[in-house]
Amino acid sequence: EYTLNGNEVKITREILFETGSDQLKPESKAALEIIRQYLADKSYISTLRIECHSDNAGDASANQLLTEKRALAVCKKLVAMGVDCKRLLAVGFGDTKPVAANSSAEGRAQNRRTSFVNAALRGHAIGGMPLDGGGKVAGDACN
């Protein structure tokens, strides 16, 4: 139930949060299970970056903080499902990496997303890129 697009793990299910919150909706469980199984099957992926993104509505610093909290919430849920916390890196990007125009509701919805990116294989960063992908690390998934 996933495909790879470069280093990004694309899944058919969505990660959903309560509006304005880092509280995961129950419907997110199926998506998280796909990621849990992916990591179980791919033991050589030593770091998976969980990226959360927002649209540009509202205060940019509040959006940045919310994306960090959401990324960490996803990591903590995966740890609760049995994933080794040392393999997860929570990173928030706020509204800095839109994939669509923020001028329409559809575009804003596309920009509010959670991405899963292979960041390191067997302890080595992929392609010389920083593990954080240029975003703000949200905290330690092990705490």
Side-chain angles (χ1 to χ4, degrees):
E1 291 191 63
Y2 71 86
T3 57
L4 287 175
N5 181 4
N7 291 321
E8 186 176 348
V9 183
K10 297 284 219 175
I11 56 177
T12 55
R13 304 296 184 103
E14 283 188 287
I15 301 289
L16 300 171
F17 297 91
E18 298 296 337
T19 302
S21 164
D22 63 349
Q23 195 66 38
L24 282 157
K25 287 187 172 184
E27 307 92 286
S28 299
K29 190 166 175 35
L32 292 168
E33 180 56 34
I34 293 168
I35 296 300
R36 186 204 65 75
Q37 189 61 53
Y38 172 78
L39 286 169
D41 293 345
K42 312 278 189 229
S43 60
Y44 53 86
I45 304 289
S46 51
T47 305
L48 183 72
R49 184 171 62 244
I50 288 70
E51 298 183 352
C52 283
H53 302 267
S54 71
D55 60 28
N56 71 349
D59 180 67
S61 60
N63 286 342
Q64 176 63 42
L65 186 59
L66 181 59
T67 60
E68 291 168 36
K69 288 181 174 179
R70 285 180 168 181
L72 197 54
V74 170
C75 286
K76 299 247 183 212
K77 187 66 171 175
L78 286 167
V79 169
M81 295 169 71
V83 175
D84 180 352
C85 63
K86 293 179 192 72
R87 296 178 71 194
L88 302 172
L89 182 63
V91 180
F93 283 89
D95 63 6
T96 63
K97 290 177 76 175
V99 293
N102 277 300
S103 55
S104 70
E106 295 82 14
R108 288 188 297 277
Q110 288 177 53
N111 290 331
R112 293 187 301 269
R113 67 195 187 282
T114 301
S115 303
F116 301 92
V117 181
N118 295 316
L121 301 176
R122 296 182 179 89
H124 299 285
I126 296 173
M129 294 293 293
L131 291 181
D132 64 21
K136 185 158 191 261
V137 176
D140 188 346
C142 296
N143 292 332

